[in-house]
């Protein structure tokens, strides 16, 4: 189906939009307002500044915003043409301009009997479900022991070998949904450092292990080198090449390369070029997750993603959870001067969520040209980082509370924990809420002084202590509550962040779906590799040349 061209003028940067200018002025006029005062003046602030979807609650009231800020941000969204780009994305428009590709991770989550979605005149929905069902069937055969290892023993361990989007998403989801794990153990190897894969191989047995080589391109050297190492290990254990069919599977858009590697065609699961690696956990790249949690739970995960897709597509900006996160992030970054953003799940299972979001957000929105190649004159993607709560409170929270930078935080809090109900989860939740409140309120010097008033300290010491013990407050955060981490709520959370990233990219006018920036380092590694092995280094700066020299002096003839 021919889609009309995207209407945004190629030369237009969002900084030229009237709403952007108005927001800059609005920041100047409101910078003095403190969140503590805002809460005091607006008793129903939470009521007006939260949004909910099917058990997921976003409380965005602890941000440096008022109703007027939100109105202007929604105007910015309208003026930027984000709604049209969103429509194009869902409809299969080739909005990834530099790679001439559609962007259809939303199609991976569509129910089977749904309206068609066309890419190059082909309805892709049946393909999506065919491939999904093949992968789910395979996972089920592994789970119920129909697909055995070459000696007839059931498979017990599944080792996913992949990197980036072929690792971070499935690893995080499998870890988060560990309470739903059935009878297969899943492991993930990504790093080229042999310690990663070797550590796993020491714990598994060849005759009961299945390797999934996960690579959209099937060209990523890290993954191929690790896959070759796994194959060597398998063959060296006395198994034959014919046995590989029982012990190796692949997920790739490059089915021919997977076949060349020697993987049996029935064990190769397809991906689509219209799904970016960092958005691919919903596809057959989710195979290790399917192996861990099974068909029904994986479908629940997809249902959560789809419900968030529908919400993002239809809800007005002012009630639209991903859009609100995106617009408030833009406010924080482009108008209040933050440069990074922290994500803190108060859930041990979600401890890899920040790592997944780093790729999702920073690979998508770490761009300095707009989607038509024009340099931007404003800050794009924030540096994303984080760690599980409460661990982070004993690590970097000092800087968040009293440092000189203002770094917005997302607190993600499941109200129920998964472990023993012995009061620890209750305290985990108390900590999350307390951190958000402390960041917002701060503590004045007078309050800090009152705390030490009866300690009998000399006046000068009391004053000095009060100044150290005071907190500026006025530090923004979102709190995202779910009842518990389930396949469904995780689907909601993940799709929520995907659409946040889309929305920010749309307002900024950048292409969130290519990643040329990671290519250059890969190219130079290809040049340096033979130089480490002996060819004469040429054309390097003195630093790189000396580092190569040092390696060669150290390794002599020891290189592999
Ligand atoms: O890091 C660059 C990148 O291309 C990511 O975008 C991707 O997720 C990762 O490499 C792995 O790629 P592949 O799945 O093709 O091996």
């Amino acid at each position: 189906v021919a889609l009309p061209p995207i209407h945004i003028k190629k030369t237009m940067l969002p900084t030229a939009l009237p709403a952007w200018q108005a927001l800059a002025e609005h920041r100047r006029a409101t910078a003095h307002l403190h969140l503590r005062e805002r809460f005091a003046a607006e008793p129903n602030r939470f009521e007006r500044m939260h949004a909910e979807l099917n058990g997921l609650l976003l409380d965005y009231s602890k941000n440096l915003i008022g109703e007027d800020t939100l109105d202007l941000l929604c105007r910015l969204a309208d003026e930027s043409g984000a709604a049209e780009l969103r429509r194009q994305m869902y409809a299969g428009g080739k909005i990834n301009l530099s790679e001439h590709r559609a962007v259809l991770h939303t199609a991976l989550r569509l129910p089977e009997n749904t309206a068609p979605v066309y890419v190059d005149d082909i309805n892709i929905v049946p393909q999506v479900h065919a491939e999904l069902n093949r992968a789910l069937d395979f996972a089920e055969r592994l789970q119920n022991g129909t697909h055995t290892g070459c000696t007839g023993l059931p498979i017990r361990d599944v080792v996913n070998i992949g990197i980036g989007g072929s690792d971070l998403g499935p690893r995080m989801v499998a870890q988060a949904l560990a309470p739903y794990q059935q009878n297969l153990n899943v492991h993930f190897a990504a790093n080229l450092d042999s310690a990663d894969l070797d550590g796993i191989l020491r714990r598994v047995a060849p005759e009961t292990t299945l390797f999934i080589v996960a690579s959209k391109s099937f060209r990523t050297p890290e993954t191929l080198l690790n896959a070759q190492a796994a194959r060597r290990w398998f063959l060296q254990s006395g198994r034959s090449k014919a046995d590989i069919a029982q012990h190796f599977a692949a997920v790739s858009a490059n089915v021919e390369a997977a076949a060349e590697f020697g993987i049996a065609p029935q064990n190769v699961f397809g991906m689509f070029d219209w799904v970016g690696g960092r958005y691919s956990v919903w596809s057959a790249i989710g195979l290790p997750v399917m192996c861990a949690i099974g068909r029904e739970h994986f479908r629940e995960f997809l249902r959560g993603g789809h419900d968030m897709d529908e919400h993002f597509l239809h809800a007005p900006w002012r009630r639209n959870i991903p859009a609100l996160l995106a617009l408030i992030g833009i406010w924080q970054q482009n108008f209040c001067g933050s440069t990074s953003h922290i994500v803190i799940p108060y859930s041990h299972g979600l401890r890899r969520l920040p790592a997944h979001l780093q790729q999702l957000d920073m690979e998508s929105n770490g761009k300095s040209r707009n989607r038509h190649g024009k340099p931007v004159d404003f800050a794009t993607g924030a540096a994303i980082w984080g760690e599980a709560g409460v661990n982070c409170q004993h690590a970097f929270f000092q800087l968040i509370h009293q440092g000189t930078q203002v770094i917005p935080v997302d607190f993600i809090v499941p109200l129920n924990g998964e472990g023993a109900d012995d009061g620890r989860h209750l305290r985990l939740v108390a900590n999350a809420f307390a951190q958000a409140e402390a960041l917002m309120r701060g503590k004045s010097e007078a309050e800090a002084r009152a705390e030490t008033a009866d300690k009998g300290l000399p006046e000068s010491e009391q004053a000095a202590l009060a100044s150290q013990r005071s907190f500026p407050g006025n530090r923004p955060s979102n709190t995202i509550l779910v009842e518990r981490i389930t396949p469904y709520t995780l689907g909601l959370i993940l799709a929520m962040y995907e659409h946040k990233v889309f929305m920010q990219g749309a307002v900024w006018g950048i292409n969130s779906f290519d990643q040329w920036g990671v290519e250059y380092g890969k190219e130079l590694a290809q040049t340096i590799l033979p130089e480490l092995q002996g060819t004469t280094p040429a054309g390097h700066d003195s630093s790189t040349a000396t580092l190569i020299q040092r390696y060669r002096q150290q390794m002599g003839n020891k290189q592999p």
Side-chain angles (χ1 to χ4, degrees), residues 4 18 52 80 120 144 156 162 175 204 217 257 263 266 308 330 405 459 464 536 544 550:
E52 285 187 73
S80 70
D120 296 328
N144 64 21
R156 287 175 36 181
Q175 217 167 50
V204 299
S217 59
I263 294 175
Q266 70 273 18
M308 186 55 78
I330 287 173
Q405 307 176 42
E459 170 60 27
T536 310
T544 312
R550 282 294 168 99

Side-chain angles (χ1 to χ4, degrees), residues 496-518:
M496 171 187 82
Y497 276 114
E498 289 180 357
H499 291 313
K500 173 196 170 183
V501 168
F502 164 85
M503 185 72 192
Q504 292 198 325
V507 172
W508 286 328
I510 58 178
N511 181 355
S512 302
F513 301 104
D514 58 10
Q515 58 284 321
W516 299 105
V518 294

